[in-house]
Amino acid sequence: RKEVEQDPGPFNVPEGATVAFNCTYSNSASQSFFWYRQDCRKEPKLLMSVYSSGNEDGRFTAQLNRASQYISLLIRDSKLSDSATYLCVVKAGGFKTIFGAGTRLFVKA
Amino acid sequence: GAVVSQHPSRVICKSGTSVKIECRSLDFQATTMFWYRQFPKQSLMLMATSNEGSKATYEQGVEKDKFLINHASLTLSTLTVTSAHPEDSSFYICSARGAKGGETQYFGPGTRLLVL
């Protein structure tokens, strides 16, 4: 089993749609969780951290479920510019950071 | 946010040559730097982790003698691909983490290596 698993997609949604991604992790001792966004042929960029109580940043909402060991990202009112690959990132103890393979999102007009 | 630069952004070289890639943290001291490789349509693969002033820790399957990492200062780490071959062609990305960034990793823009 992979340490961090994501549905690779692609998710094809129309503008204005709401889309959600899930990510599961295997290490119950994982401590920190993030969502990164990676555009084609570019480096990953931090989208948001994920907190235990859940957190929201504009149209983006992240949630953490430690009992089930998954995190989620919800995007409301999708924009064309949201088209990218979304990477789930999990940090265990020490310096080890594990990246998921990413979920590809295409938002169409 | 914190800024990490990489140089060069793109390099084309002949098989057998060595290529050095620089990674710099521009506005913070990076106590830890990471080197990743990404093949087309694949996920980031961690190659090695380096802490300033100490030897890098390589991931399983990554040859330390082929991918030389030097983290000589708190703002600079270098990756040298020695005797590069076509299968080394990839997108190499560094990231840095330090006191300013906390747990967040900031990525450099990446270096595209093409070995002919």
Side-chain angles (χ1 to χ4, degrees):
Chain A
R1 181 185 175 189
K2 291 182 181 178
E3 292 182 85
V4 176
E5 292 201 67
Q6 291 182 253
D7 180 344
F11 284 64
N12 295 290
V13 303
E15 269 189 295
T18 296
V19 62
F21 309 135
N22 284 334
C23 165
T24 58
Y25 59 94
S26 60
N27 186 348
S28 60
S30 297
Q31 299 173 343
S32 304
F33 309 87
F34 309 88
W35 283 102
Y36 277 74
R37 168 194 171 130
Q38 186 174 25
D39 292 288
C40 188
R41 302 174 71 85
K42 298 282 188 180
E43 78 278 18
K45 293 187 177 178
L46 179 66
L47 179 64
M48 59 197 303
S49 301
V50 186
Y51 303 118
S52 297
S53 56
N55 49 297
E56 188 174 304
D57 183 1
R59 298 182 292 110
F60 299 86
T61 301
Q63 301 232 317
L64 166 65
N65 185 321
R66 285 189 184 273
S68 300
Q69 294 181 206
Y70 79 83
I71 67 174
S72 64
L73 176 68
L74 182 77
I75 305 175
R76 290 182 300 278
D77 188 23
S78 300
K79 311 291 184 190
L80 294 176
S81 57
D82 293 334
S83 298
T85 297
Y86 290 84
L87 304 173
C88 169
V89 181
V90 175
K91 180 178 176 290
F95 296 110
K96 191 80 170 179
T97 301
I98 308 296
F99 282 79
T103 298
R104 296 175 71 192
L105 171 65
F106 293 104
V107 181
K108 300 180 178 180
Chain B
V3 179
V4 177
S5 70
Q6 262 183 261
H7 177 79
S9 59
R10 188 184 301 266
V11 60
I12 301 173
C13 68
K14 292 182 179 179
S15 185
T17 60
S18 294
V19 176
K20 179 186 280 189
I21 303 170
E22 292 187 351
C23 176
R24 293 182 185 272
S25 57
L26 299 183
D27 58 353
F28 70 103
Q29 292 184 325
T31 51
T32 306
M33 285 188 170
F34 306 85
W35 286 97
Y36 294 85
R37 181 167 55 181
Q38 187 176 36
F39 293 105
K41 298 186 178 182
Q42 294 189 24
S43 62
L44 289 169
M45 296 298 295
L46 179 65
M47 299 176 67
T49 302
S50 72
N51 293 296
E52 185 265 340
S54 61
K55 289 184 180 180
T57 301
Y58 290 80
E59 294 299 301
Q60 192 172 13
V62 178
E63 300 175 53
K64 63 180 182 179
D65 294 329
K66 180 169 179 64
F67 299 98
L68 302 178
I69 292 172
N70 186 303
H71 191 162
S73 76
L74 285 171
T75 60
L76 173 65
S77 176
T78 60
L79 167 68
T80 301
V81 183
T82 62
S83 186
H85 288 93
E87 58 266 30
D88 297 324
S89 299
S90 188
F91 188 42
Y92 291 86
I93 309 175
C94 73
S95 73
R97 185 169 64 200
K100 178 177 179 178
E103 294 184 318
T104 304
Q105 285 182 234
Y106 295 92
F107 285 84
T111 297
R112 294 210 173 272
L113 170 64
L114 177 61
V115 184
L116 302 176

